[in-house]
Amino acid sequence: MFIFAAVLIRALALPPGFTVDPEGQTPNLVVTANHTVAALAQSTDRTFQFRAIRWDEDGRPQSFTGLDVMTAPGYGRNKSGNQDPNYRVESAGVASAGRQIFVTASTNWSGAYSGTSYEVQRWGLYSAARWPLPSCVDSGSSEDQHAYGGDSDGRVAITIDRTGAGSFQVMSDSPEIFAPYAYIVRDGACRNLGRAVVQTVRGQWAAGYRGYLNAKLAPDNLNTLVQRFVAVRWYGTRLRELGPGDALAINHNGLTAGADAVPARKECETTNFYSTDRTGHTYCSGIPHAFVWDANGRRIAIAPDSPRSVAYGVNDAGTVVGMLTGRNGRHFAFRWRNGLLQRLDDLPHPPGWRFESAYAVGNDGTIAGIGTLFNVPTVFIWQQ
């Protein structure tokens, strides 16, 4: 723990060889109602390992050990129905709801199709546990479910493929059949938000995005380079489209934070995969720039001079945090409040720190994110 010029910074060590990506498609770090911190960590080598990590009150890290993911019959399971030992269960995301942590666990499988299956599991005090979806979620399949966010009252934002096919299909002819469904779940009750990806919830408010392909709602998997993404916000079950982008955080007033493109997606790719004439075309999914949308839907740029930026968190006072890049491509954690943008690196802090991305901000102003401490990847908790 470090104290410098009225700033208190808590350092949370990551396992050797792991870091947290400063630009996640969803927030890679969450804080629960009782201040437990959890993060999605990834290996710094080329082995592409992913782990969910949480820290106890003494700052000691613990890795999530997932249960066998319930893949579709014939995919990833042997004839007896047991998980094939050649399939490695990893973590694909973390979310917090009240005092609970939820992990989107994943496993890779191959066969006639290859892909990834996902299942939401609750991270209990000591180990993973099945988290059966309530009966009000008409899942149709346990193959493809994601928990992207939650709120302090225990609501969980769930996105699910109800067909069991969305993990491996590319639907250019009838995409609306395979578009995902969004739900808010709490205590066995559901709020059905319709066809979309829901990223965040705060009471009656929720936010996320929709993908369109040929003006039809589309699945959120292999055809993302050719989709048009639109940020959306709900109050109750009433949906409003906000314009191009992805909404990642929301507060109790409906102030919504995100970017004008889905973060962490490939910017451009030249391929003949999507073209009917099988000739190479270049497709670009867009470079994200951080925005907030006010309660009236007005869009406000909060890092207009940055080549790339994402707003990941917002508190009830309207303070927004996130990540921006400099002209040299380096990542910087930022705080935006009362119209003023500040990089945490530029504020007084103890020596040795670089702050690369801020993923969460509490109502007391506490910021959580990823940086380096003397060049070692380290999770930080910033209190001022």
Side-chain angles (χ1 to χ4, degrees), residues 45 48 62 78 86 95 104 109 111 125 130 178 188 229 265 269 278 296 302 317 333 338 355 365-366 381-382:
D45 57 20
F48 301 105
Q62 175 192 4
N78 59 31
N86 294 321
T104 298
W109 45 265
L125 183 61
R130 289 272 182 244
F178 298 93
F229 293 101
R265 292 271 170 91
E269 180 178 331
R278 293 302 178 186
N296 296 318
I302 60 178
N338 300 321
F355 305 102
T366 298
I381 308 297
W382 171 296

Side-chain angles (χ1 to χ4, degrees), residues 18 20 117 119 127 142 147 163 168 173 177 221 224 249 251 283 306 322 333 336 347 352 361 365 378:
F18 279 81
V20 175
S117 294
E119 181 184 56
S127 61
S142 62
T163 67
F168 55 84
D173 51 351
I177 298 173
N221 50 67
T224 55
N251 71 7
Y283 302 93
S306 174
W336 182 86
L347 300 175
V361 57
T378 306

Side-chain angles (χ1 to χ4, degrees), residues 8-181:
L8 185 151
I9 298 178
R10 185 183 181 198
L12 300 177
L14 287 157
F18 279 81
T19 187
V20 175
D21 190 339
E23 185 184 336
Q25 185 171 324
T26 58
N28 281 339
L29 190 148
V30 297
V31 183
T32 70
N34 62 338
H35 308 295
T36 296
V37 180
L40 177 66
Q42 65 181 47
S43 58
T44 55
D45 57 20
R46 295 183 179 274
T47 59
F48 301 105
Q49 297 180 60
F50 295 87
R51 295 183 189 175
I53 308 292
R54 69 179 176 191
W55 290 264
D56 63 20
E57 294 180 354
D58 297 322
R60 291 172 298 202
Q62 175 192 4
S63 294
F64 174 81
T65 301
L67 301 170
D68 288 350
V69 174
M70 299 294 290
T71 60
Y75 297 105
R77 290 183 175 270
N78 59 31
K79 293 182 179 180
S80 66
N82 297 319
Q83 185 75 25
D84 188 320
N86 294 321
Y87 293 85
R88 182 175 60 190
V89 176
E90 291 189 333
S91 302
V94 292
S96 65
R99 295 173 177 263
Q100 299 187 92
I101 297 172
F102 295 88
V103 177
T104 298
S106 65
T107 187
N108 291 319
W109 45 265
S110 60
Y113 297 98
S114 62
T116 304
S117 294
Y118 300 92
E119 181 184 56
V120 177
Q121 299 179 8
R122 185 173 61 243
W123 197 352
L125 183 61
Y126 301 107
S127 61
R130 289 272 182 244
W131 187 62
L133 291 173
S135 59
C136 50
V137 175
D138 181 16
S139 66
S141 169
S142 62
E143 161 134 5
D144 196 356
Q145 51 184 258
H146 302 260
Y148 288 130
D151 68 8
S152 59
D153 293 325
R155 298 176 184 87
V156 188
I158 295 291
T159 301
I160 188 165
D161 163 41
R162 298 201 329 196
T163 67
S167 288
F168 55 84
Q169 297 283 7
V170 180
M171 305 302 156
S172 59
D173 51 351
S174 55
E176 71 279 2
I177 298 173
F178 298 93
Y181 284 78

Side-chain angles (χ1 to χ4, degrees), residues 188-328:
C190 299
R191 190 191 318 166
N192 188 337
L193 302 180
R195 312 299 287 272
V197 174
V198 60
Q199 305 268 47
T200 183
V201 59
R202 180 65 191 270
Q204 288 298 305
W205 292 101
Y209 67 90
R210 279 177 155 178
Y212 285 92
L213 186 63
N214 299 326
K216 297 179 180 179
L217 291 174
D220 188 49
N221 50 67
L222 297 180
N223 53 10
T224 55
L225 279 173
V226 292
Q227 289 188 33
R228 177 176 64 90
F229 293 101
V230 177
V232 297
R233 180 171 64 198
W234 295 266
Y235 186 79
T237 57
R238 187 172 70 250
L239 179 146
R240 177 177 182 177
E241 293 193 347
L242 301 173
D246 180 10
L248 292 157
I250 199 164
N251 71 7
H252 79 297
N253 294 316
L255 182 67
T256 308
D260 61 357
V262 178
R265 292 271 170 91
K266 290 182 179 180
E267 293 179 14
C268 294
E269 180 178 331
T270 300
T271 178
N272 64 9
F273 192 74
Y274 306 106
S275 59
T276 57
D277 57 7
R278 293 302 178 186
T279 58
H281 294 267
T282 299
Y283 302 93
C284 298
S285 60
I287 298 173
H289 299 92
F291 283 89
V292 294
W293 293 266
D294 67 15
N296 296 318
R298 182 172 63 104
R299 193 173 76 166
I300 304 167
I302 60 178
D305 297 326
S306 174
R308 189 180 187 94
S309 57
V310 183
Y312 284 111
V314 59
N315 68 10
D316 288 341
T319 298
V320 178
V321 297
M323 177 282 305
L324 60 82
T325 62
R327 297 294 174 186
N328 60 0

